[in-house]
């Protein structure tokens, strides 16, 4: 009985497509952040992040590639599973990686289905505009919610000639507006607008009924997204204009690990209090200590 109550209570609090649509209607901006693992997802979820995006940016910040292109569907599914386990309230979005949906509608359907079934995510994101309208339509008809992504689409890195602001050329505004409207009409529930002039992003936000989520697209979007490694300042050398650093964790971690290394080298770690003794053990001779890794075990 209590299990049922708890489960339905947590369902009530889950961020849904409807919650996001309401936020747009009420003009209450929502937060989106990338997440790649369980521990971080749990912290972000508890901190109130509304949407966790398992972005293919993991190819760059987790795997160390120069672009997102090498990321595979299996890798996104793996990270989705970890993030989904940590997200009790946030909506979890799985990013469709390069060439997991571009070859055919059937390929896109199968792979989006895999992210939902194997990754445990609540919706998928795919890059590109009107060219993917039919796929979006089919996915939505199959019950798979789709987040669109236009402007700077990193999977088209080589086509675009690098990570460059989009929509500044003649016709750019019209193309972006047309793509946004077509994706909305196809059934996308939200649109990421990446690296486009703020006034165009605000115009798109006013023109479509679905929420827009900006990254380098100004404050006029319905929500904002950042790559979490950028927001936490993991890489001192990377600070594009659109990123706000909420911490300098790269330096903090470097300092902490430096002190750990020095303590080990200097014989200062572990101390006696951080080690076990025969007399303190409650386990019978030969038995496995019941709680060697719990805090209580350490104190016992
Ligand atoms: O992969 C990613 O992290 C993204 C965001 C930057 C929107 O697509």
């Amino acid at each position: 009985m209590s299990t049922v109550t708890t489960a339905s209570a947590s369902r009530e609090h889950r961020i849904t497509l409807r919650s996001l649509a309401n936020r747009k209607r009420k003009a209450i901006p929502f937060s989106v952040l990338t997440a790649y693992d369980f521990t971080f997802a749990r912290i972000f979820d508890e901190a109130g992040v509304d949407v966790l995006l398992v972005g293919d940016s993991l190819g760059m910040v987790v795997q160390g590639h120069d672009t997102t292109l090498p990321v595979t569907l299996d890798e996104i599914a793996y990270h989705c599973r970890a993030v989904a386990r940590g997200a009790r309230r946030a909506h979890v979005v799985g990013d469709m990686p390069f060439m997991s949906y571009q070859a055919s509608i059937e390929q896109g359907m199968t792979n989006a289905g895999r992210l939902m079934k194997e990754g445990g995510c609540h919706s998928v994101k795919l890059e590109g505009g009107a060219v993917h309208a039919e796929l979006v339509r089919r996915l939505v008809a199959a019950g798979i919610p789709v987040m669109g992504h236009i402007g700077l689409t990193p999977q088209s890195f080589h086509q675009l000639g690098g990570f460059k602001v989009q929509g500044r050329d003649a016709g750019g505004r019209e193309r972006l507006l047309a793509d946004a409207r077509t994706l909305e009409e196809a059934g996308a529930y939200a649109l990421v607008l990446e690296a486009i002039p703020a006034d165009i992003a605000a115009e798109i936000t006013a023109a479509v009924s679905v929420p827009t989520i900006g990254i380098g697209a100004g404050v006029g979007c319905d929500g904002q997204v950042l790559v979490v490694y950028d927001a936490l300042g993991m890489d001192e050398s990377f600070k594009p204009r659109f990123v706000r650093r909420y911490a300098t964790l790269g330096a903090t971690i470097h300092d902490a690990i430096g002190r750990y290394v020095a303590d080990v080298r200097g014989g200062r770690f572990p101390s006696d209090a951080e080690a076990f003794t025969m007399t303190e053990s409650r386990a019978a001779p030969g038995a496995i200590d019941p709680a060697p890794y719990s805090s209580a075990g350490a104190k016992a």
Side-chain angles (χ1 to χ4, degrees):
M1 175 66 183
S2 65
T3 314
V4 173
T5 313
T6 310
S8 51
S10 65
R11 263 201 304 277
E12 271 166 30
H13 291 105
R14 174 75 73 181
I15 297 287
T16 61
L17 309 189
R18 184 191 287 223
S19 335
L20 299 176
N22 282 340
R23 298 282 280 271
K24 178 176 180 105
R25 202 167 42 76
K26 295 180 183 164
I28 305 171
F30 57 88
S31 53
V32 184
L33 197 60
T34 66
Y36 313 110
D37 70 27
F38 166 79
T39 300
F40 273 61
R42 187 169 53 77
I43 295 170
F44 305 159
D45 189 83
E46 285 170 7
V49 175
D50 298 304
V51 179
L52 294 178
L53 168 64
V54 184
D56 62 2
S57 50
L58 69 86
M60 299 176 73
V61 298
V62 176
Q63 298 176 337
H65 295 296
D66 291 337
T67 70
T68 59
L69 272 60
V71 176
T72 68
L73 192 82
D74 283 343
E75 288 164 351
I76 295 279
Y78 166 87
H79 287 278
C80 278
R81 284 195 291 279
V83 168
R85 282 193 284 267
R88 291 166 62 99
R89 171 183 169 275
H91 180 88
V92 177
V93 185
D95 211 359
M96 297 284 285
F98 180 57
M99 291 317 292
S100 69
Y101 58 98
Q102 287 92 341
S104 69
I105 303 243
E106 280 60 40
Q107 182 206 35
M109 296 286 293
T110 304
N111 287 333
R114 281 194 57 204
L115 281 194
M116 303 288 285
K117 284 169 78 87
E118 297 170 29
C121 55
H122 309 135
S123 67
V124 300
K125 175 171 86 58
L126 49 86
E127 296 184 6
V131 68
H132 295 305
E134 185 53 26
L135 173 59
V136 173
R137 218 168 269 125
R138 291 274 304 276
L139 288 170
V140 172
I144 301 181
V146 182
M147 176 182 282
H149 182 162
I150 58 175
L152 169 52
T153 46
Q155 290 173 20
S156 305
F157 177 85
H158 296 293
Q159 185 86 28
L160 300 175
F163 297 118
K164 294 183 175 156
V165 175
Q166 301 297 303
R168 279 178 168 156
D169 55 331
R173 176 185 297 260
E174 282 68 32
R175 273 197 302 278
L176 284 167
L177 259 170
D179 277 338
R181 287 195 172 112
T182 306
L183 289 171
E184 175 195 21
E185 189 269 326
Y189 75 88
L191 300 174
V192 170
L193 307 179
E194 179 163 356
I196 63 174
D199 59 332
I200 304 184
E203 193 178 339
I204 294 172
T205 301
V208 296
S209 62
V210 295
T212 59
I213 302 162
I215 174 162
V219 77
C221 300
D222 299 305
Q224 297 292 331
V225 58
L226 280 177
V227 171
V228 68
Y229 280 42
D230 300 343
L232 294 180
M234 296 291 269
D235 179 356
E236 294 260 306
S237 66
F238 186 69
K239 173 68 181 78
R241 185 200 310 198
F242 64 88
V243 167
R244 184 176 298 176
R245 273 197 196 141
Y246 288 88
T248 46
L249 278 200
T252 304
I253 293 170
H254 187 280
D255 174 62
I257 299 306
R259 287 186 288 113
Y260 165 68
V261 169
D263 281 353
V264 172
R265 279 200 192 133
R268 294 183 296 277
F269 178 81
S271 66
D272 287 349
E274 289 158 334
F276 302 104
T277 65
M278 289 293 287
T279 49
E280 285 166 352
S281 173
R282 293 193 185 125
I288 295 169
D289 189 332
Y293 289 98
S294 72
S295 307
K299 278 185 225 125

